[in-house]
Amino acid sequence: MKDIFDKLHEHCALFGIYDIKEASNYVYLGLHALQHRGQEGCGIVTRDKDVFYKKRARGLVLEAFDKTDIENLKGSIGIGHNRYITNGDSSLVNLQPLTASFDLGDIAIAHNGNIVNAYSIRQKLISDGAIFSSNSDTEVIIHLIARQKGSFDERLVGALSQLKGAFSLVMLFNDTLYAIKDPWGFRPLAMGELGDACCFASETCAFDLIGAKFVRELENGEIIKVDKYGVNSFKPFKSENSYRCVFEYIYFARPDSYLWDNHVYEIRKRIGQKLALKSNVDADIVIAVPDSGMPAAIGYSQASGLPFEMGIIRNHYVGRTFIEPTDSIRHFGVKLKLNPSSDVLNNKRVVVVDDSIVRGTTSRRIVKMIRNAGAKEVHLCIASPPVTHPCFYGIDTPTKSELIASSHTIEEITKYATADSIAYLSLEDLKEIVGGSGYCYACFSGNYPVSLNV
Ligand code: AMP
């Protein structure tokens, strides 16, 4: 299974807008606001007078598109996508939106999530004679739609009903925009409005940038269709239990976004407060691993009374740690990005808050860095439970054997990280903070809500 899923992971940002002059400008800005969800590459497709205009390129949005590109992307309807690193396969063909033509017209599709039965569907399609041009699981959706019978909406429902796993989608079919969320609701997708225009984004921070109003999160299993007749919603799928990805709160989402009716910043702060209340560590200061540990460190400081200090400064002009495909470069990446401030750390007992430990590499480097800057004691405080299982629903995590907490006790991880202590948030506390049911906790529990045996 590992090999299959290593090839088919997708983790991304989506943006779509219907009926606004020079739509490409808004898609461009929306994708920029969502840059944290994927930095490997990006793409925009717009529609004007029966023609798709498209550009996909590697790298960050602001570098991938220049003024002429945006001007050339004509039309008042557009969708866009940021792609996250997968297994180092950064070829252009895997960038989205994917486009294709079939008997009913043209289709462009952008996907956030991971379809767990994509591989078996793909193998079946290939044995029936289908030809694939990417190794992304998203392409199976286009094939399935093209092979159904009936109207486009019937085909869409027929195709999507065959999928298992995580799929938030924005899609253009000719002049119609669709926004879709899978029946389990794994990945976020929100609707906004900007004057008379309707827009969709993975996170509400994209609406803030373009001045749109956040209307609501899509419901699980909802299809929203936007065309010249207006905005129509339908829920054609069998209803399923809700499994929203709790790791979005822990790490992935931007703290200024509203996600599933919660402000991400608030959730992270409450996690920090909870950690402080459970802590029995004596320390002088609390610091964060920037940026993702910041809100929890502030919460920790507020609840414990320990002063919050900027003990580590981040260089923002480097991609996220996971972007680099090989281990040796990843190690270098930590040094490139984070610099300890010895004036702050020297001779101090330090609580350092980070969002999660995945492989353990970052924590080990950070502890070393803080000690070298003169700290007397380093106590790691982790704003999530131990990550013991890989995600198969759209977060890029390594295989189980690479996850340090899958095979090591907290004592062993503490020793490996060379920390004086490590405190994790408990799963029970996390559930209490986010409100319990309705979430997927598989990376912490191994309970995969949608079967992987497909
Ligand atoms: P490591 O334990 O060295 O593998 O890295 C852990 C750090 O990577 C955490 O502190 C997070 O900030 C970050 N992180 C956690 N999950 C992910 C992910 N899925 N993609 C990229 N970075 C992540």
Side-chain angles (χ1 to χ4, degrees):
M1 193 164 65
K2 166 184 177 295
D3 290 338
I4 297 165
F5 287 114
D6 275 358
K7 286 197 185 72
L8 296 178
H9 277 176
E10 295 295 342
H11 337 261
C12 311
L14 306 177
F15 188 86
I17 192 157
Y18 184 91
D19 215 13
I20 193 153
K21 201 166 159 249
E22 295 165 357
S24 59
N25 283 289
Y26 296 91
V27 184
Y28 171 74
L29 288 172
L31 291 182
H32 171 58
L34 299 170
Q35 191 72 80
H36 59 289
R37 297 184 69 86
Q39 300 105 1
E40 185 199 4
C42 48
I44 297 178
V45 173
T46 57
R47 179 85 172 171
D48 189 45
K49 299 193 180 72
D50 296 339
V51 175
F52 275 162
Y53 293 86
K54 56 184 173 185
K55 173 157 185 196
R56 298 180 300 179
R58 286 196 197 95
L60 304 180
V61 178
L62 297 188
E63 289 157 4
F65 295 91
D66 62 22
K67 196 163 181 286
T68 315
D69 294 326
I70 298 299
E71 281 165 8
N72 290 342
L73 290 160
K74 297 188 177 48
S76 57
I77 317 170
I79 61 171
H81 185 265
N82 289 335
R83 184 171 190 263
Y84 207 68
I85 189 70
T86 56
N87 57 349
D89 175 3
S90 58
S91 50
L92 270 180
V93 291
N94 284 322
L95 298 182
Q96 298 191 16
L98 300 180
T99 52
S101 295
F102 67 119
D103 58 332
L104 296 184
D106 302 321
I107 190 165
I109 184 166
H111 172 205
N112 176 205
N114 190 53
I115 298 164
V116 294
N117 62 341
Y119 183 76
S120 57
I121 297 175
R122 185 183 169 108
Q123 292 308 101
K124 181 156 186 320
L125 289 166
I126 288 174
S127 67
D128 288 349
I131 297 166
F132 281 81
S133 60
S134 75
N135 62 15
S136 127
D137 57 346
T138 313
E139 203 176 347
V140 303
I141 303 176
I142 298 181
H143 280 273
L144 290 177
I145 292 171
R147 280 161 189 252
Q148 305 285 310
K149 298 261 178 298
S151 68
F152 182 78
D153 288 352
E154 287 164 345
R155 292 188 191 201
L156 182 64
V157 173
L160 298 181
S161 307
Q162 298 176 48
L163 305 181
K164 300 257 176 290
F167 54 93
S168 282
L169 306 168
V170 289
M171 210 164 94
L172 296 178
F173 164 61
N174 295 336
D175 295 326
T176 303
L177 170 67
Y178 289 85
I180 299 163
K181 198 188 262 192
D182 66 64
W184 302 271
F186 282 106
R187 307 252 72 91
L189 188 57
M191 177 162 71
E193 63 188 22
L194 181 58
D196 292 335
C198 180
C199 50
F200 300 93
S202 294
E203 288 178 41
T204 60
C205 61
F207 300 149
D208 296 340
L209 180 59
I210 62 165
K213 191 174 125 221
F214 168 42
V215 176
R216 66 175 174 88
E217 182 72 27
L218 264 72
E219 289 176 31
N220 295 357
E222 183 175 16
I223 297 181
I224 298 185
K225 177 179 179 179
V226 195
D227 60 13
K228 61 185 176 195
Y229 304 108
V231 179
N232 285 294
S233 156
F234 48 116
K235 290 186 73 179
F237 308 114
K238 185 173 139 276
S239 118
E240 302 280 356
N241 289 333
S242 180
Y243 291 110
R244 298 165 293 184
C245 169
V246 81
F247 208 75
E248 290 275 354
Y249 284 136
I250 300 291
Y251 172 76
F252 218 47
R254 233 170 74 163
D256 51 343
S257 287
Y258 280 88
L259 206 60
W260 301 307
D261 298 329
N262 287 305
H263 197 210
V264 175
Y265 177 73
E266 258 324 296
I267 294 276
R268 290 187 187 160
K269 227 169 64 171
R270 271 165 43 205
I271 289 175
Q273 287 162 352
K274 181 67 92 180
L275 283 166
L277 295 176
K278 295 251 166 127
S279 165
N280 48 15
V281 160
D282 275 333
D284 303 309
I285 55 169
V286 53
I287 68 166
V289 179
D291 291 331
S292 44
M294 214 57 117
I298 292 169
Y300 192 108
S301 163
Q302 289 172 350
S304 65
L306 282 184
F308 171 75
E309 301 284 2
M310 298 266 286
I312 301 176
I313 307 300
R314 177 170 170 171
N315 178 339
H316 283 98
Y317 306 98
V318 194
R320 283 185 171 190
T321 320
F322 273 43
I323 276 184
E324 298 88 6
T326 67
D327 248 18
S328 56
I329 305 178
R330 184 161 37 240
H331 294 175
F332 185 51
V334 177
K335 283 188 257 168
L336 271 180
K337 239 177 17 178
L338 303 174
N339 192 34
S341 177
S342 5
D343 283 348
V344 174
L345 299 168
N346 193 29
N347 224 14
K348 297 282 183 357
R349 295 170 302 166
V350 181
V351 169
V352 48
V353 182
D354 201 359
D355 63 281
S356 59
I357 296 180
V358 182
R359 296 179 177 87
T361 323
T362 309
S363 307
R364 189 177 157 94
R365 301 238 146 202
I366 281 168
V367 172
K368 193 169 167 205
M369 190 183 264
I370 295 170
R371 283 202 200 282
N372 286 346
K376 269 199 310 210
E377 289 174 26
V378 185
H379 300 276
L380 276 175
C381 208
I382 305 302
S384 69
V387 178
T388 50
H389 290 76
C391 176
F392 294 108
Y393 309 123
I395 295 275
D396 186 24
T397 39
T399 55
K400 191 163 192 289
S401 60
E402 293 169 275
L403 296 171
I404 191 164
S406 76
S407 55
H408 294 85
T409 61
I410 295 182
E411 290 68 37
E412 287 167 342
I413 301 172
T414 311
K415 202 164 164 208
Y416 174 75
T418 70
D420 291 287
S421 71
I422 297 187
Y424 279 98
L425 183 74
S426 73
L427 187 52
E428 293 65 38
D429 285 344
L430 175 61
K431 287 183 178 172
E432 186 204 306
I433 289 165
V434 300
S437 64
Y439 288 95
C440 175
Y441 298 99
C443 53
F444 307 125
S445 68
N447 296 328
Y448 292 104
V450 171
S451 170
L452 306 173
N453 298 318
V454 284

